[in-house]
Amino acid sequence: MSVVGFSCSSFVVVIAVLVMVLNGVEVCYGGKTSQFLRKVEKTVDMPLDSDVFAVPPGFNAPQQVHITQGDHEGKAVIVSWITPDKPGSNEVLYWTEKSKQKKLAFGKVYTYKFYNYTSGYIHHCTIKNLKYNTKYYYEVGIGYSPRTFWFVTPPEVGPDVPYTFGIIGDLGQSFDSNVTLTHYERNPHNGKTVLFVGDLSYADNYPFHDNVRWDTWGRFTERSTAYQPWIWTAGNHEIDFVPEIGETEPFKPFTNRYHVPYKASESTAPFWYSIKRGPAYIIVLASYSAYGKYTPQYEWLEAELPKVNRNETPWLLVLVHSPWYNSYNYHYMEGETMRVMYESWFVRYKVDVVFAGHVHAYERSERISNIAYNIVNGHCNPVKDQSAPVYITIGDGGNLEGLATNMTEPQPAYSAYREASFGHGIFDIKNRTHAYFSWNRNQDGYAVEADALWFFNRYWHPVDESLNEQK
């Protein structure tokens, strides 16, 4: 039976909704929860004798080679590598693709001990005064077993220079991690720089935080990190605070192995800093360093955000490990205190997107904020806000802890798309107004996009992207 085109069941639903509204209950409909069902199987770390962990041939051959940006503007590169047997040369020989003239840069050598582990000789060398948009070759391990790699510098900082970033988080060194990295490398829209949102090796999941697993991870990722910069964010698996075995210096393996140009942005610690790269201004924040009022990170960020010139770098991106908006039951609301401290700043300065990891799944939010709430006014629900960033959780690199499959129900209104699968992201900036984001799950072909969205710049073209979104 129907009444004026309504079935009885529909009429009951309408009445129920009206009753809830009259009683002050807000009716919220979330976005899309993917129906893709990943085959459930245990995530396993690759064994130590895996080919991806192979030591390069030759006596004292450099290994675990990786690069990152070495200054604030993109004209310098930090080259890092480890020699296992002796310090060897701390020099980097480098030259442009079109020149036979070779230059020499000098670095420093470090070692550290962690419980019963002693590191190899860790080299860090900054190559400065590079030309923009130029291919460089570089050689390390001079005098013993030299190895040669290459990289391409970014275009000069400017508003309309296209640039593409890959986004990876919580990678680890499992068989799934290898699929993720391979999937990223073979993506036809492969990024030119990786924005890494924390949790590298997961060595701390082994007895005594076995630092051998830092070495294997460095060799595993070298096939990408030696050729394009990875911009590092520290996650909880980098803390390595183990007082029961005498290790009371947090982040010791991470800070010895992975240097970043934090002083170039007047930061006082390597866990929070900023860089410019092409059309983007990238701010890296630390979820596991003090961020309350009067702390060094708070004061740095308060001074840093007004420095961003959107006429020069129109795209403002933030990297953080622990997500502020998350609808999985894993790590739920762990980022809440940082959100309370900084979210109003992100809205005021019109941050375009915030990338986070920590939750081993993928999720993309609507543009929302929750800055009206002041404890007593009751305005505690996130609301649509076109000055707010989109929050993307992409902690789905493939580590041995497995996927986060337990989601909150119903899906909250702030969540636009979520899926428990391993994968990676691509953020392709076209010009000052438009960028294209895609998320690729490991189970698909290399060119398949499981989720995608055109981003409209908050400063130059603040249009609601969700109006054109395919649901």
Side-chain angles (χ1 to χ4, degrees):
M1 177 182 178
S2 63
V3 180
V4 197
F6 275 71
S7 68
C8 290
S9 59
S10 298
F11 184 73
V12 170
V13 170
V14 171
I15 294 299
V17 170
L18 287 172
V19 169
M20 287 190 290
V21 171
L22 290 172
N23 283 278
V25 178
E26 183 175 355
V27 181
C28 294
Y29 297 95
K32 178 180 178 181
T33 297
S34 171
Q35 298 303 305
F36 177 82
L37 297 177
R38 182 184 185 274
K39 182 180 177 182
V40 178
E41 53 191 4
K42 185 176 177 59
T43 304
V44 179
D45 267 355
M46 294 178 284
L48 291 174
D49 61 356
S50 298
D51 57 352
V52 297
F53 297 151
V55 176
F59 176 71
N60 209 39
Q63 57 172 267
Q64 306 175 53
V65 181
H66 56 273
I67 62 174
T68 193
Q69 186 158 313
D71 65 353
H72 202 242
E73 306 286 337
K75 295 183 68 176
V77 167
I78 300 173
V79 181
S80 304
W81 71 98
I82 292 179
T83 49
D85 303 300
K86 54 174 60 181
S89 170
N90 65 347
E91 301 165 332
V92 175
L93 198 62
Y94 65 100
W95 61 97
T96 65
E97 182 181 30
K98 298 179 180 180
S99 173
K100 295 182 179 180
Q101 182 182 4
K102 297 183 178 181
K103 298 180 180 180
L104 206 57
F106 298 88
K108 295 182 179 180
V109 184
Y110 305 78
T111 61
Y112 73 92
K113 292 184 178 181
F114 192 96
Y115 189 55
N116 59 0
Y117 169 91
T118 301
S119 73
Y121 299 93
I122 306 169
H123 303 252
H124 298 289
C125 178
T126 301
I127 306 174
K128 301 177 181 179
N129 299 316
L130 300 173
K131 297 178 182 178
Y132 285 119
N133 207 26
T134 302
K135 186 173 184 178
Y136 283 87
Y137 291 89
Y138 69 99
E139 182 179 294
V140 293
I142 298 166
Y144 290 93
S145 302
R147 299 178 68 199
T148 301
F149 305 89
W150 57 264
F151 61 83
V152 178
T153 53
E156 185 173 359
V157 172
D160 290 309
V161 288
Y163 202 76
T164 308
F165 295 96
I167 306 104
I168 300 175
D170 300 65
L171 185 58
Q173 47 195 298
S174 72
F175 289 98
D176 289 299
S177 312
N178 194 28
V179 175
T180 298
L181 191 54
T182 302
H183 220 65
Y184 169 68
E185 292 169 314
R186 297 185 181 180
N187 189 323
H189 306 293
N190 189 322
K192 300 173 183 177
T193 293
V194 168
L195 306 179
F196 191 84
V197 291
D199 283 0
L200 286 70
S201 71
Y202 285 78
D204 62 342
N205 278 348
Y206 286 82
F208 310 114
H209 293 220
D210 186 2
N211 274 223
V212 169
R213 280 293 180 172
W214 275 102
D215 292 321
T216 55
W217 194 84
R219 293 196 292 271
F220 158 54
T221 56
E222 182 188 83
R223 70 200 205 209
S224 176
T225 60
Y227 296 94
Q228 60 176 240
W230 285 39
I231 308 304
W232 302 109
T233 310
N236 56 298
H237 285 277
E238 280 71 75
I239 298 174
D240 284 307
F241 176 72
V242 205
E244 60 269 28
I245 60 173
E247 291 298 338
T248 58
E249 179 187 338
F251 301 101
K252 185 197 289 186
F254 174 73
T255 52
N256 275 280
R257 293 169 181 266
Y258 294 92
H259 281 195
V260 298
Y262 68 96
K263 293 181 181 179
S265 57
E266 300 180 351
S267 170
T268 55
F271 311 114
W272 60 88
Y273 61 98
S274 72
I275 60 169
K276 300 175 187 177
R277 198 160 186 89
Y281 202 103
I282 300 162
I283 292 177
V284 178
L285 296 180
S287 296
Y288 304 98
S289 301
Y291 48 74
K293 196 167 185 178
Y294 312 120
T295 62
Q297 183 170 196
Y298 179 99
E299 294 193 347
W300 175 82
L301 183 59
E302 185 177 33
E304 180 69 10
L305 284 167
K307 296 178 183 178
V308 182
N309 180 358
R310 304 297 279 270
N311 292 297
E312 178 189 56
T313 50
W315 292 92
L316 180 52
L317 317 180
V318 175
L319 312 184
V320 66
H321 185 63
S322 186
W324 295 1
Y325 288 96
N326 162 35
S327 69
Y328 292 81
N329 286 317
Y330 302 84
H331 306 302
Y332 189 62
M333 292 186 73
E334 285 184 19
E336 183 68 2
T337 52
M338 186 181 238
R339 182 195 67 77
V340 170
M341 295 305 304
Y342 296 153
E343 186 181 20
S344 62
W345 292 354
F346 284 15
V347 173
R348 183 192 315 167
Y349 291 100
K350 301 183 185 299
V351 171
D352 290 291
V353 59
V354 178
F355 294 106
H358 201 37
V359 177
H360 299 166
Y362 170 73
E363 184 167 23
R364 172 173 56 81
S365 81
E366 303 285 358
R367 288 200 183 275
I368 40 85
S369 70
N370 193 7
I371 59 176
Y373 182 50
N374 65 4
I375 300 180
V376 297
N377 63 13
H379 299 161
C380 55
N381 290 319
V383 297
K384 285 286 189 89
D385 187 339
Q386 290 306 309
S387 292
V390 169
Y391 294 87
I392 293 178
T393 299
I394 193 161
D396 54 357
N399 65 81
L400 83 167
E401 292 182 346
L403 285 168
T405 55
N406 192 336
M407 305 175 185
T408 62
E409 296 295 349
Q411 184 174 5
Y414 62 74
S415 176
Y417 183 97
R418 61 184 185 178
E419 179 175 320
S421 293
F422 292 132
H424 71 275
I426 300 291
F427 194 75
D428 186 7
I429 297 173
K430 304 295 186 181
N431 51 41
R432 74 180 68 192
T433 59
H434 288 69
Y436 186 73
F437 171 78
S438 62
W439 174 70
N440 303 67
R441 71 166 76 91
N442 287 356
Q443 282 71 29
D444 295 331
Y446 297 122
V448 176
E449 299 169 347
D451 182 43
L453 182 73
W454 277 101
F455 273 74
F456 303 142
N457 186 270
R458 291 303 91 189
Y459 182 85
W460 287 99
H461 190 57
V463 175
D464 186 354
E465 301 100 334
S466 65
L467 297 177
N468 300 316
E469 186 176 2
Q470 296 295 320
K471 292 290 187 184

